[in-house]
């Protein structure tokens, strides 16, 4: 009996996998972000979740957003920071990060290293909300968060 297609997809150098496409993080222009790629490792029919691998190049960042669904994150490579609510958290390989519902969050590869992480989400999930002017004013009231958001 053969293993069948897709049972084993071998790791390749550089955090790539056989039969896994390297995709854009989001559609260009749909939301602010910089230098982020996405690979969907597991998902589809029969699974309640999707496991994605995101990679952010040095000085890049994910979208500042919030939504009802949660994220379960495992850092795989590099150091950086993540804003979660009103906290700026330093992250490093093998750290586990839980992003709660309706909590503003953004990853930044701001330590001069490529930041790569696994992110588990529900397959059926709500669309992220972007911050409005009032949200940004509220976040920026904390000087540390303002500095984080303004990093190149
Ligand atoms: Mn998110």
């Amino acid at each position: 009996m053969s293993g069948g297609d897709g049972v084993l997809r071998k790791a390749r150098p550089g955090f790539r996998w056989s039969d896994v496409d390297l995709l854009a993080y989001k559609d260009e222009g749909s939301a602010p972000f910089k230098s982020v790629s996405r690979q969907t490792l597991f998902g589809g029919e029969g699974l309640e979740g999707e496991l994605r691998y995101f990679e952010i190049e040095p000085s890049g960042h994910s979208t500042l957003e919030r939504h009802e669904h949660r994220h379960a994150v495992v850092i795989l490579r590099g150091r950086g920071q993540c804003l979660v609510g009103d906290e700026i958290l330093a992250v490093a390989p093998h750290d586990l990060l839980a992003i709660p519902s309706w909590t503003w969050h953004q990853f930044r590869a701001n330590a001069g290293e490529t930041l790569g992480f696994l992110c588990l989400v529900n397959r059926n999930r709500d669309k992220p909300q972007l911050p409005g002017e009032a949200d940004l004013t509220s976040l920026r009231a904390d000087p540390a968060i303002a500095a984080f958001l303004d990093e190149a």
Side-chain angles (χ1 to χ4, degrees):
M1 182 177 159
S2 85
D5 290 343
V7 172
L8 176 64
R9 291 165 293 160
K10 296 292 284 181
R12 290 182 185 164
F15 293 82
R16 296 295 314 277
W17 292 267
S18 298
D19 300 325
V20 176
D21 291 332
L22 183 67
L23 304 171
Y25 168 57
K26 296 179 176 177
D27 291 337
E28 205 66 46
S30 64
F33 64 88
K34 184 182 168 196
S35 305
V36 187
S37 65
R38 172 171 59 94
Q39 299 177 73
T40 299
L41 307 183
F42 292 99
E45 291 297 322
L47 282 177
E48 297 297 322
E50 283 184 5
L51 186 65
R52 299 90 49 84
Y53 176 72
F54 293 97
E55 212 166 76
I56 309 179
E57 292 170 31
S59 302
H61 61 83
S62 64
T63 301
L64 175 62
E65 62 179 32
R66 69 178 176 184
H67 36 68
E68 183 175 24
H69 65 270
R70 299 171 55 203
H71 290 312
V73 172
V74 185
I75 307 296
L76 283 197
R77 69 177 293 193
R79 293 173 301 127
Q81 290 183 314
C82 188
L83 173 68
V84 182
D86 58 5
E87 286 191 290
I88 298 167
L89 304 167
V91 295
H94 307 161
D95 286 348
L96 305 177
L97 184 61
I99 313 274
S101 289
W102 296 119
T103 304
W104 295 115
H105 55 282
Q106 182 181 57
F107 287 88
R108 284 188 175 263
N110 56 8
E113 300 176 12
T114 296
L115 179 64
F117 55 92
L118 298 170
C119 179
L120 177 65
V121 287
N122 293 337
R123 182 157 68 98
N124 296 308
R125 57 189 181 276
D126 59 318
K127 196 169 183 284
Q129 286 183 357
L130 301 180
E133 283 301 320
D135 301 308
L136 288 172
T137 300
S138 174
L139 285 163
R140 286 178 174 282
D142 181 333
I145 293 176
F148 174 87
L149 295 174
D150 289 339
E151 279 174 7

